[in-house]
């Protein structure tokens, strides 16, 4: 039996392989002791770790685990998934929207980190809590799905008011920038505020990714990370914004397990 484990800032992703079968599971990073207990039940298992909490997890388990650098592991996992999907890419950007966001360029077999932003899943959870007092992830994202950010975000077309716009009128000019224009006539619901928070995260992530894509002449941006789970709104914002800006978004099913799968493949 083999375990590939990506112990991240928020979630621990586990890929278990046995007799050619692959199983995926995840735990909160605060439950790292629980993961260690699970591994103690399989003392003979081969274990490969990665992620910011890998060394701490190693200190809790009996196996002498293989460890790889998170970026190498994630790249290896993405390549493995793309191969299995029959969608090989030669020159692309991948963006891992985890607690924070990390952006990478791939050409052939070479991966380099191209940048990052503090806007990511952690910001959705933290800003979401500040705006609404809601700490439960699935409640938060379900609520956001019902929200509308039209009265909160200022679009280019709002500034130009019917005049010809030099860039697409649907682009956001200022996230949250419409609030002072609408505050006297509009009641913003918790859902609306959350939708706007997800909007600013999605658009920031996309903008930074697209700048990298342009810099490296890449057509595709591959998006992974647990931040897209149960969060169709974030998927939609990122997908539409990537297309609007002239690039091709690509989401990988189970892509949040890229690091876990990749470290297993590198072992
Ligand atoms: P990093 O790579 O930055 O160290 P990570 O690997 O833990 O962090 P991911 O697991 O890719 O990051 O994504 C974490 C994000 O996923 C959270 O910030 C949250 O937005 C989202 N998420 C999805 N499911 C859950 C869940 N059940 N509980 C908490 N957050 C969740
Ligand atoms: Mg991660």
């Amino acid at each position: 039996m083999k375990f590939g484990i990506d112990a991240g800032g928020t979630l621990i992703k586990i890929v278990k392989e046995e007799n050619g079968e692959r199983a995926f599971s995840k735990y909160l990073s605060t439950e790292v002791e629980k993961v260690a207990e699970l591994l103690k039940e399989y003392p003979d298992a081969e274990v490969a770790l990665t992620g910011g909490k890998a060394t701490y997890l190693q200190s809790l388990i009996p196996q002498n685990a293989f460890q790889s650098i998170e970026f190498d592991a994630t790249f290896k996992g993405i390549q493995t998934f793309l191969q299995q999907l029959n969608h090989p890419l030669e020159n692309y950007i991948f963006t891992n929207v985890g607690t924070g966001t990390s952006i990478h360029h791939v050409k052939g077999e070479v991966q380099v980190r191209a940048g990052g932003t503090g806007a990511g899943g952690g910001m959705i959870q933290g800003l979401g809590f500040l705006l609404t007092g809601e700490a439960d992830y699935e409640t938060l994202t379900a609520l956001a799905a019902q929200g509308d950010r039209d009265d909160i975000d200022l679009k280019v077309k709002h500034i130009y008011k019917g005049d010809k716009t030099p860039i697409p009128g649907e682009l956001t000019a200022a996230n949250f920038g419409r609030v002072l224009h609408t505050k006297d006539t509009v009641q913003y619901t918790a859902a609306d505020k959350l939708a706007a928070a997800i909007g600013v995260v999605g658009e920031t992530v996309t903008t930074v990714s697209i700048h990298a894509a342009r810099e490296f002449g890449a057509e595709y941006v591959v998006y992974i990370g647990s931040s897209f789970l149960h969060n169709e709104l974030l998927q939609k914002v990122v997908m539409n914004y990537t297309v609007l800006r002239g690039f091709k978004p690509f989401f990988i099913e189970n892509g949040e397990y890229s690091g876990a799968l990749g470290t297993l493949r590198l072992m």
Side-chain angles (χ1 to χ4, degrees):
M1 182 172 323
K2 291 181 182 177
F3 290 97
I5 303 178
D6 173 8
T10 307
L11 297 171
I12 300 173
K13 280 74 63 183
I14 304 180
V15 174
K16 182 172 133 189
E17 283 188 346
E18 193 179 20
N19 307 322
E21 301 255 318
R22 198 182 280 164
F24 300 105
S25 58
K26 66 173 97 59
Y27 294 81
L28 290 171
S29 297
T30 47
E31 300 177 317
V32 61
E33 284 80 12
K34 208 159 132 185
V35 173
E37 289 309 310
L38 169 90
L39 288 169
K40 283 178 194 162
E41 290 174 30
Y42 306 94
D44 297 328
E46 288 181 71
V47 180
L49 303 175
T50 194
K53 292 192 157 55
T55 302
Y56 179 59
L57 179 56
Q58 172 65 82
S59 75
L60 303 177
I61 61 175
Q63 297 89 353
N64 185 12
F66 166 82
Q67 263 195 51
S68 64
I69 295 167
E70 185 175 347
F71 302 153
D72 297 336
T74 306
F75 172 42
K76 185 72 183 173
I78 288 176
Q79 296 285 71
T80 307
F81 277 129
L82 288 177
Q83 229 163 40
Q84 285 166 0
L85 289 167
N86 255 322
H87 200 285
L89 295 171
E90 177 55 30
N91 180 34
Y92 64 96
I93 298 297
F94 75 79
T95 299
N96 185 1
V97 190
T99 311
T101 298
S102 193
I103 295 162
H104 305 255
H105 172 239
V106 176
K107 186 151 198 191
E109 292 303 309
V110 181
Q111 172 271 133
V112 287
R113 189 167 189 274
T117 166
M123 180 169 165
I124 293 173
Q125 292 185 281
L127 182 58
F129 176 78
L130 288 177
L131 290 171
T132 67
E134 183 56 61
D136 180 70
Y137 177 72
E138 288 189 18
T139 309
L140 198 76
T141 50
L143 200 56
Q146 297 160 19
D148 185 342
R149 56 193 182 107
D150 276 3
D151 292 323
I152 297 180
D153 289 345
L154 191 73
K155 291 184 174 178
V156 171
K157 69 177 183 193
H158 292 136
I159 298 181
Y160 278 75
K161 274 227 169 95
D163 213 355
K164 199 169 168 292
T165 58
I167 52 175
E170 282 306 310
L171 283 173
T172 306
N175 295 86
F176 292 92
R178 206 165 185 226
V179 171
L180 295 191
H181 303 267
T182 55
K183 67 178 183 0
D184 298 328
T185 51
V186 173
Q187 285 285 352
Y188 315 102
T189 65
D192 296 342
K193 294 176 194 174
L194 289 173
I198 289 172
V200 70
V201 170
E203 290 173 5
T204 303
V205 161
T206 309
T207 299
V208 184
S209 302
I210 275 161
H211 285 170
R214 199 180 286 155
E215 181 183 343
F216 291 103
E219 185 185 12
Y220 275 92
V221 183
V222 174
Y223 292 100
I224 60 160
S226 311
S227 302
F228 294 108
L229 298 176
H230 304 286
N231 196 342
E232 251 177 71
L233 183 58
L234 184 69
Q235 289 173 36
K236 218 170 78 185
V237 171
V238 168
M239 190 154 69
N240 293 345
Y241 215 61
T242 305
V243 172
L244 186 67
R245 302 288 298 266
F247 293 86
K248 291 183 176 164
F250 192 82
F251 292 86
I252 299 178
E253 194 187 352
N254 294 318
E256 67 277 14
Y257 290 98
S258 295
L261 179 64
T263 194
L264 196 54
R265 285 287 93 84
L266 290 173
M267 180 164 60

